[in-house]
Amino acid sequence: MILFGTGGIRGVMRKGEFDEDTVRRASLSTALWMKQRNLKSVVIAYDTRRNSREFAELAGRIFAGEGIEAYVFPEPTPTPVLSYAVRKMRAGAGIVITASHNPPEYNGYKVYSWDGVQAIPKYTDEITEIYKKVDITKAKEGEIKTVPSEVKESYIEKVVEIVSNFPRRTDLDIAYSPLHGTGANYVPEVLRRLGFKVRLVEEQMKPDPNFSTVPTPNPEENEALTLLNKKGATLGVATDPDCDRVGVVYRGKRLTGNQVGVLLTDFLLEHVKVENPLVIKTIVTTDMVRPICEEKGAYLEETPTGFKFIGYLIEEHTKKGDRNFVFGFEESCGYLTGDHARDKDGVVGSVLSAVAFSNYDPYEKLEELYRKYGYYLEKLINFKFEDVNKAIEIYRSLKEYDGIIDYSKGYGDVIPNETIAFVFEKSKIFVRPSGTEPKLKVYIHVRGDTREEAENLMEESEKKIKEILKL
């Protein structure tokens, strides 16, 4: 089990790993942490996974047992809606029971602070210290309350408002799948209110904790989009089970998270006119937005992997009032614009893609941007292991190499984090242990003056890192 990694606590649902005792311990620890800070209420959401509702209600009863007002959503709800609800209801914290895009045997527990940001390490470290010592036999249970229905409606209205002023052609042929997850009651509704017609992948509209129509409910992977592609729509969008990521397909070909991020950055900076515009990305996300931001006069800032760091940085700039947030994104298909939430939002990502790509063919636009700024290509390689410790062991061994950037020691303005980078003349290779699964993640970034040069650089870089890793 991973304890408060990039996506909170996550583990396989079995006795002694992620079970009722885990939920009790996490809830009691978070409740005690809240009481230390005099925080009075918590909002709790859950996805469509097995046991998610039961875990959410159990968590609520534990918080209530500690005298904290606990509001639980009445139906499976997207993670970004939880972030929104914490802000709208002025709650002291938020909880989501989800394992996001992990396989069906997993579940998880994410904590959000009072600003709607997934709890940053400073807070999760404090909760972890309590978690290690807390006695769950002393946990009491109380009565839970239901999140008011107007929260859902006001969220939908807010997302419509965010994108309604952008130019769009509503005759775009769109297909959508929630991959059996929480987006089913949100994405189609927002698209329809914006005037789009949507064809639904009916086989995947209903909750299914086994995700039986897909090998994996991860919209980053082509295999998850098979039924979506069978619809034959011009644009296809699919969200993961907790609807914070969105996969995008155009004319049957999947756009990567980096490509969508580049296109949406360009689109938003063209249409959002504010002083001191701010774009935020993670360090392992494409550098192609760098020259775009420079040309359009936007500030570009970087964070460690994990959207919580993007949310935290947005809040910091909001408090200072020095920069106006326009867009945040990460290569793993997470996108956010607007001030309604502070986590990646699959509803926003879906409708923003529909609006932007109703104006042009995204592949033609990408080619235009490549010719202008250079051919930036990226590739993610996942090395899977039985045990998360194996990935950490290999990662630590790489720190002995000369000339690497070790982000754990701090680099530039980026918050220290467990990532290293090999930097070459026209390429960068980032390596980090996954914060959600037993994987070592390798991100290769190259830039060529031509597509052929970029593809050759990618091939050379992949060979180089595999020799270094000996995997």
Side-chain angles (χ1 to χ4, degrees):
M1 186 170 73
I2 292 173
L3 191 61
F4 290 114
T6 52
I9 300 172
R10 213 168 275 192
V12 175
M13 285 182 281
R14 56 188 173 202
K15 189 74 178 162
E17 189 165 344
F18 196 96
D19 57 12
E20 287 190 353
D21 280 352
T22 307
V23 174
R24 279 193 188 90
R25 186 175 295 276
S27 301
L28 183 55
S29 305
T30 307
L32 294 173
W33 173 79
M34 288 179 69
K35 287 167 78 171
Q36 289 174 1
R37 291 174 169 267
N38 200 31
L39 302 170
K40 307 287 190 185
S41 63
V42 64
V43 187
I44 302 171
Y46 56 93
D47 67 8
T48 56
R49 288 172 180 272
R50 187 164 46 88
N51 300 322
S52 284
R53 180 171 191 146
E54 292 81 359
F55 287 152
E57 290 175 349
L58 170 60
R61 293 194 301 272
I62 298 294
F63 280 101
E66 289 299 318
I68 291 169
E69 274 193 300
Y71 294 86
V72 180
F73 275 93
E75 62 182 5
T77 298
T79 288
V81 180
L82 181 279
S83 176
Y84 171 79
V86 169
R87 294 166 69 79
K88 181 170 177 61
M89 295 173 67
R90 300 182 185 278
I95 304 293
V96 188
I97 305 294
T98 181
S100 192
H101 58 284
N102 279 43
E105 63 271 19
Y106 281 80
N107 216 323
Y109 190 105
K110 293 203 280 194
V111 178
Y112 286 72
S113 46
W114 49 89
D115 46 15
V117 178
Q118 190 184 156
I120 58 173
K122 175 186 174 184
Y123 303 142
T124 55
D125 288 350
E126 291 170 358
I127 295 168
T128 300
E129 285 309 304
I130 301 171
Y131 184 97
K132 288 173 182 173
K133 301 169 189 169
V134 75
D135 181 0
I136 59 170
T137 62
K138 294 181 179 174
K140 303 181 289 290
E141 295 190 13
E143 292 291 316
I144 58 177
K145 300 178 179 182
T146 302
V147 173
S149 58
E150 57 263 29
V151 170
K152 177 181 178 179
E153 176 57 27
S154 67
Y155 167 85
I156 290 172
E157 288 173 357
K158 186 68 179 174
V159 175
V160 171
E161 179 192 317
I162 288 166
V163 297
S164 60
N165 291 327
F166 300 138
R168 63 187 183 278
R169 288 184 51 189
T170 56
D171 58 351
L172 179 64
D173 183 18
I174 303 173
Y176 169 70
S177 170
L179 300 180
H180 302 293
T182 58
N185 295 326
Y186 288 82
V187 176
E189 180 62 23
V190 175
L191 287 169
R192 287 177 188 132
R193 291 194 194 187
L194 287 165
F196 292 106
K197 290 186 174 67
V198 192
R199 289 195 270 157
L200 305 176
V201 181
E202 294 294 350
E203 305 96 311
Q204 296 176 332
M205 290 303 293
K206 291 181 181 174
D208 176 2
N210 297 315
F211 309 113
S212 54
T213 63
V214 287
T216 168
N218 186 354
E220 288 179 89
E221 299 182 14
N222 293 332
E223 296 81 2
L225 308 176
T226 304
L227 288 180
L228 181 71
N229 282 335
K230 283 184 179 175
K231 285 285 176 187
T234 305
L235 177 71
V237 288
T239 50
D240 66 342
D242 69 326
C243 195
D244 60 358
R245 301 176 182 219
V246 55
V248 179
V249 176
Y250 193 83
R251 299 196 188 282
K253 186 180 175 188
R254 190 177 71 83
L255 288 149
T256 68
N258 282 312
Q259 290 172 329
V260 173
V262 165
L263 290 164
L264 295 184
T265 299
D266 181 72
F267 180 82
L268 287 167
L269 289 178
E270 199 64 41
H271 293 100
V272 178
K273 300 304 178 187
V274 292
E275 292 289 317
N276 301 319
L278 173 66
V279 174
I280 309 174
K281 73 176 188 73
T282 61
I283 55 176
V284 298
T285 296
T286 181
D287 275 334
M288 190 170 171
V289 290
R290 201 172 290 283
I292 294 173
C293 288
E294 283 172 11
E295 184 174 299
K296 296 183 187 293
Y299 292 94
L300 177 66
E301 297 197 15
E302 291 188 306
T303 71
T305 305
F307 217 93
K308 58 191 167 194
F309 296 109
I310 294 177
Y312 171 75
L313 204 50
I314 298 168
E315 280 295 294
E316 289 298 290
H317 283 297
T318 302
K319 286 175 201 163
K320 291 177 193 170
D322 60 344
R323 292 175 191 173
N324 291 300
F325 171 69
V326 173
F327 188 50
F329 78 107
E330 59 184 4
E331 49 72 41
S332 56
C333 303
Y335 316 102
L336 179 67
T337 192
D339 64 356
H340 64 299
R342 288 292 181 257
D343 203 355
K344 56 183 179 280
D345 189 333
V347 184
V348 163
S350 297
V351 299
L352 201 51
S353 296
V355 167
F357 305 153
S358 73
N359 287 279
Y360 53 68
D361 179 314
Y363 285 106
E364 289 177 6
K365 185 68 173 179
L366 267 176
E367 189 58 36
E368 179 190 315
L369 295 173
Y370 286 141
R371 286 198 298 268
K372 188 173 185 180
Y373 300 114
Y375 285 79
Y376 289 78
L377 298 185
E378 300 83 25
K379 184 171 187 177
L380 168 62
I381 307 172
N382 285 307
F383 294 97
K384 298 180 183 180
F385 304 99
E386 289 297 313
D387 183 0
V388 70
N389 292 318
K390 179 65 177 171
I392 293 169
E393 180 190 318
I394 294 170
Y395 158 73
R396 286 179 178 161
S397 72
L398 299 177
K399 294 190 176 203
E400 296 170 10
Y401 279 80
D402 291 331
I404 61 162
I405 295 172
D406 184 350
Y407 283 92
S408 68
K409 294 177 179 174
Y411 182 77
D413 295 327
V414 180
I415 297 167
N417 65 97
E418 293 301 328
T419 308
I420 62 166
F422 296 85
V423 181
F424 307 101
E425 188 184 352
K426 289 193 171 185
S427 65
K428 283 184 194 171
I429 303 174
F430 298 88
V431 184
R432 53 176 284 270
S434 170
T436 57
E437 298 168 271
K439 291 178 180 176
L440 189 70
K441 300 178 87 74
V442 174
Y443 307 79
I444 305 173
H445 292 191
V446 303
R447 182 199 175 279
D449 294 328
T450 64
R451 183 177 292 278
E452 185 182 17
E453 183 191 7
E455 287 171 350
N456 289 338
L457 281 166
M458 181 61 72
E459 200 175 310
E460 289 167 17
S461 300
E462 191 171 343
K463 195 182 295 181
K464 199 177 290 183
I465 193 61
K466 283 181 177 174
E467 284 171 4
I468 290 170
L469 292 173
K470 299 181 177 65
L471 289 173

